[in-house]
Amino acid sequence: MRVERWDGGRIRERAGELAELLADTVAGGASVGFPGPLGHAEAVAWWRERAAATAEGRLAVWAALDGTGRVAGTVSLAHPDKPNSRHRAELVKLMVHRSARGRGLGRRLLTTAEEAAAAAGITLLHLDTETDSPAERLYRSAGWTRAGVIPDYALSPAGELRPTTLYFKRLDVRRPGG
């Protein structure tokens, strides 16, 4: 698998494939912001909105491609627009297609985003994930710190209110000459 950073144009070009990944993630039960079932047109529209955010510099998106060039996963960093928060970013939409799970791709995408954030001078990352989800194990094993739980935070793909767990990670940013 190779991981590439995609600009807004590439996201628009491949929105259909990205939509298939998003729909597969939701169908697999992951709480990534959508109740199920997620239609293809809705998923394509969502990704096209992300293309605009990427073009504006508010979002960075990486896509993992399998040996055939098919999208197997994504991860994104959302950058705040407030001047007092330029040191941090939110990790969003870490998704791995069900057919590609169990091979370390989630960790590779997470590491890619963390390393890119540190290289950009970001010193703090944060995220939220469904409480007791498999994603929690990944974040804890990668050194993320649990900050707390918010009850009844979002609907699961099955339509049930579920809690979310907040995590953060301080990054070791190496300054030039430091």
Side-chain angles (χ1 to χ4, degrees):
M1 298 252 181
R2 71 181 190 275
V3 177
E4 302 174 346
R5 185 167 175 177
W6 282 8
D7 63 14
R10 179 62 58 95
I11 293 169
R12 275 188 298 280
E13 288 169 13
R14 309 233 2 219
E17 291 174 69
L18 292 163
E20 194 276 321
L21 169 67
L22 179 56
D24 176 77
T25 303
V26 172
S31 180
V32 289
F34 298 90
L38 177 61
H40 185 75
E42 183 181 359
V44 167
W46 185 85
W47 272 110
R48 288 191 176 138
E49 290 173 10
R50 305 295 75 75
T54 302
E56 295 166 4
R58 295 181 290 120
L59 186 71
V61 176
W62 290 266
L65 307 174
D66 68 14
T68 67
R70 179 177 159 264
V71 175
T74 64
V75 67
S76 301
L77 290 176
H79 301 283
D81 61 354
K82 295 172 186 68
N84 72 342
S85 55
R86 304 273 191 242
H87 66 287
R88 64 179 160 88
E90 181 180 7
L91 188 104
V92 294
K93 300 302 182 270
L94 174 56
M95 298 184 283
V96 175
H97 195 279
R98 286 180 288 179
S99 66
R101 291 185 186 161
R103 293 181 239 157
L105 183 55
R107 176 158 320 266
R108 184 166 175 202
L109 286 163
L110 181 59
T111 300
T112 296
E114 290 175 357
E115 289 174 353
I122 301 292
T123 59
L124 180 67
L125 292 176
H126 63 96
L127 64 84
D128 70 88
T129 192
E130 184 178 341
T131 302
D132 297 326
S133 69
E136 279 200 281
R137 287 189 301 279
L138 171 63
Y139 299 129
R140 282 192 306 266
S141 71
W144 287 69
T145 302
R146 182 178 184 262
V149 175
I150 302 172
D152 298 337
Y153 186 77
L155 288 176
S156 71
E160 302 165 338
L161 282 175
R162 297 284 300 136
T164 195
T165 302
L166 305 175
Y167 284 90
F168 69 91
K169 186 172 187 177
R170 293 185 185 274
L171 301 178
D172 181 21
V173 176
R174 306 233 189 268
R175 304 281 181 209

